[in-house]
Amino acid sequence: MAETEVKLGPVIIEGKTKVVYQVADDPELVLLKSKDRITAGDGDRSHELKGKAAISTDTTTAIFQLLNSAGIKTHFVRRCDDTSFIGYKCDMIPIEWVTRRVATGSFLKRNPGVKEGYRFCPPKQETFFKDDANHDPQWSYEQCLAANITVGGVLIGRDELDIMSRTTVTVFEILERSWASLDCSLIDMKIEFGVKPSTGEIVLADVIDSDSWRLWPSGDKRLMKDKQVYRELREVTQEALDTVKRNFEWVAERVKLLIPKPNARAVVFMGSASDMPHCEKIRTSCQQLGVPCELRVSSAHKGTEETMKILAEYEGEGIPTVFIAVAGRSNGLGPVLSGNATWPVINCPPLSGDWGSHDIWSSMRLPSGLGCATVMFPEAAALCAAQILALNDHVIWGNVRAKQLNTWIGLKEADKKSRNDK
Ligand SMILES: Nc1ncnc2c1ncn2[C@@H]1O[C@H](COP(=O)(O)OP(=O)(O)OP(=O)(O)O)[C@@H](O)[C@H]1O
Ligand SMILES: [Mg+2]
């Protein structure tokens, strides 16, 4: 959509690298327009870099699409034009959330004795209060809590800090995993959150681009592709700025390759079409996790040759596949598939109330040499398949991780509500 089609209202805020406009006909939306400007050291170093706005918007757009599609709550709505995107208007929480996998940079100065390259597992978290005049001082969890910041009507207390903390780590892990699929190491990352005034929800906001992280191709610091290259320049020549820009372009091109297109699938075999409703539930859960799912009817007891033929077809295609076997009463299907396929098989028998506790043993008491798993619920079959496929697919990995995060946030919010209701 061309920018002219979005009627702009007043400027809400202008910073060093972007301008935020109110969208005229929707009070919930803003347009975030990037500038061709690169800055470092709280603006002490600042240069015009032609083309940077478009490169930065390419990067941010792709990253937020990736995160939105995984299920992370963000302010990103859609790309608008070369240098801008539309997002939900937020009241910004003035805390920078930093996550580190590898110790480097300012962490080493603040923690003398720690060697560069030290790996944090789980990732290390740090928080900084956004205050340019005082050079964004580091704040502990307790300082963030003691500040009693109220943003958009929401008091930033323990629950809110915990939600941002866990979301930050999840976002880092998803991006780390995604970059790893292109043999790049995400070393550290900085993000910000805002409160959506309409709902009071905390969402990931601002931008995530080459200014937000350290990115080392093949884990090699000498190959770094992020803004650190600009920070470390002794003298800022045009040639040096061109190198910085080429690095940012390199990132923006690659980041598009991270956008969801899973090369993986689940195939549900059912012994009888009467199991269709059970299988539909598996397919729905698979789709929610971004796992393409096909349903096939084939009985290993009554149509053995056909079952083997279908299996051979799938194996011949070479797409990483998990088979899910759905057979009531005596489950020959799953064990027969498992004994003849190298890919994993999950049994998910539809259990009847009367005979379920007997029938399940036909999935579990296997002949020697077989290793198929058994789960009882359609959602569990889909999740188990997704977790297996996630070993090799960063998109599915991100979906599983974000689902776990959202379940955790849901519990946290329910607990908060029950405390407030009493
Ligand atoms: N969805 C949003 N709604 C409203 N404001 C936003 C949103 N996302 C980001 N902002 C704010 O836009 C402002 C301008 O961004 P910019 O990055 O240029 O600022 P800056 O000069 O780097 O200052 P800062 O240190 O606050 O980041 C920032 O204050 C940022 O918090
Ligand atoms: Mg900023």
Side-chain angles (χ1 to χ4, degrees):
M1 188 192 238
E3 190 193 338
T4 46
E5 290 174 47
V6 178
K7 255 188 87 194
L8 296 183
V11 170
I12 291 179
I13 185 162
E14 173 161 3
K16 296 182 283 289
T17 58
K18 55 191 175 291
V19 190
V20 182
Y21 297 90
Q22 177 67 55
V23 169
D25 50 8
D26 191 334
E28 283 201 38
L29 298 181
V30 289
L31 180 138
L32 297 100
K33 189 157 189 67
S34 271
K35 300 181 187 177
D36 276 342
R37 179 145 292 274
I38 184 164
T39 70
D42 295 331
D44 291 349
R45 179 172 272 189
S46 174
H47 290 87
E48 167 96 6
L49 190 58
K50 218 171 160 21
K52 190 218 167 210
I55 299 166
S56 166
T57 309
D58 278 351
T59 307
T60 282
T61 301
I63 292 293
F64 274 90
Q65 280 171 348
L66 181 76
L67 294 172
N68 273 355
S69 107
I72 301 289
K73 293 195 177 107
T74 83
H75 74 150
F76 181 86
V77 176
R78 66 183 159 82
R79 178 88 180 240
C80 188
D81 66 4
D82 276 7
T83 57
S84 62
F85 68 93
I86 305 275
Y88 290 108
K89 180 180 177 174
C90 291
D91 290 323
M92 297 299 291
I93 300 166
I95 297 173
E96 282 187 356
W97 293 83
V98 173
T99 317
R100 302 174 184 276
R101 175 67 80 190
V102 176
T104 187
S106 68
F107 184 89
L108 301 178
K109 292 202 192 97
R110 284 181 283 111
N111 297 271
V114 179
K115 291 220 164 45
E116 179 161 58
Y118 177 87
R119 280 182 75 79
F120 303 104
C121 299
K124 183 83 178 166
Q125 278 212 315
E126 293 177 323
T127 38
F128 297 85
F129 180 55
K130 280 179 62 109
D131 178 6
D132 272 354
N134 289 305
H135 306 291
D136 298 344
Q138 185 175 15
W139 271 14
S140 64
Y141 178 89
E142 291 71 23
Q143 285 176 294
C144 294
L145 194 60
N148 272 327
I149 304 168
T150 298
V151 177
V154 176
L155 174 68
I156 307 302
R158 280 181 199 279
D159 292 318
E160 293 69 23
L161 289 172
D162 290 352
I163 287 171
M164 285 187 276
S165 164
R166 199 159 175 126
T167 304
T168 301
V169 173
T170 305
V171 167
F172 180 86
E173 288 175 327
I174 291 174
L175 298 185
E176 178 187 44
R177 192 84 192 184
S178 300
W179 276 115
S181 74
L182 299 176
D183 189 27
C184 281
S185 297
L186 187 64
I187 301 299
D188 50 33
M189 178 196 81
K190 178 213 87 175
I191 56 174
E192 294 174 28
F193 293 87
V195 173
K196 253 167 89 177
S198 53
T199 58
E201 246 179 331
I202 293 176
V203 296
L204 180 65
D206 205 52
V207 295
I208 300 184
D209 60 16
S210 287
D211 189 0
S212 311
W213 57 40
R214 280 192 177 82
L215 193 62
W216 297 354
S218 306
D220 186 340
K221 185 181 179 183
R222 293 166 302 178
L223 305 177
M224 64 170 82
K225 293 285 182 198
D226 50 76
K227 200 173 82 173
Q228 195 59 24
V229 175
Y230 173 71
R231 288 192 196 98
E232 288 179 5
L233 289 176
R234 288 231 179 89
E235 198 191 336
V236 185
T237 60
Q238 190 53 46
E239 201 190 344
L241 282 176
D242 288 345
T243 305
V244 171
K245 183 175 161 184
R246 267 199 309 279
N247 285 348
F248 285 13
E249 274 168 342
W250 186 93
V251 170
E253 272 163 32
R254 271 160 191 76
V255 93
K256 288 179 197 153
L257 305 173
L258 304 176
I259 296 293
K261 47 173 175 359
N263 179 40
R265 69 182 162 200
V267 175
V268 181
F269 279 78
M270 68 194 98
S272 152
S274 63
D275 296 328
M276 191 60 88
H278 184 79
C279 296
E280 291 283 10
K281 285 185 198 157
I282 297 176
R283 179 156 67 179
T284 304
S285 292
C286 279
Q287 286 166 344
Q288 284 164 357
L289 290 160
V291 176
C293 179
E294 290 177 32
L295 306 185
R296 301 298 300 258
V297 180
S298 184
S299 164
H301 286 132
K302 293 173 260 183
T304 317
E305 270 177 40
E306 195 60 24
T307 305
M308 288 301 105
K309 231 169 86 190
I310 299 173
L311 175 62
E313 279 167 21
Y314 282 116
E315 290 200 305
E317 282 178 12
I319 300 170
T321 302
V322 171
F323 296 114
I324 299 172
V326 172
R329 302 190 189 179
S330 163
N331 177 19
L333 187 57
V336 164
L337 284 172
S338 182
N340 290 278
T342 52
W343 280 326
V345 176
I346 301 163
N347 299 303
C348 185
L351 298 174
S352 68
D354 293 345
W355 285 92
S357 55
H358 300 276
D359 292 350
I360 193 127
W361 289 105
S362 66
S363 295
M364 296 179 69
R365 180 120 174 96
L366 301 170
S368 64
L370 299 188
C372 41
T374 298
V375 299
M376 279 172 63
F377 306 110
E379 192 206 13
L383 258 169
C384 187
Q387 286 179 317
I388 292 168
L389 295 167
L391 285 169
N392 205 30
D393 187 301
H394 71 272
V395 174
I396 297 172
W397 194 95
N399 295 345
V400 172
R401 202 57 158 165
K403 184 181 164 64
Q404 290 168 341
L405 171 73
N406 289 332
T407 303
W408 182 88
I409 291 176
L411 285 166
K412 198 95 186 150
E413 282 169 349
D415 180 49
K416 183 178 172 183
K417 188 169 179 302
S418 75
R419 269 186 279 128
N420 292 343
D421 283 352
K422 73 170 187 255

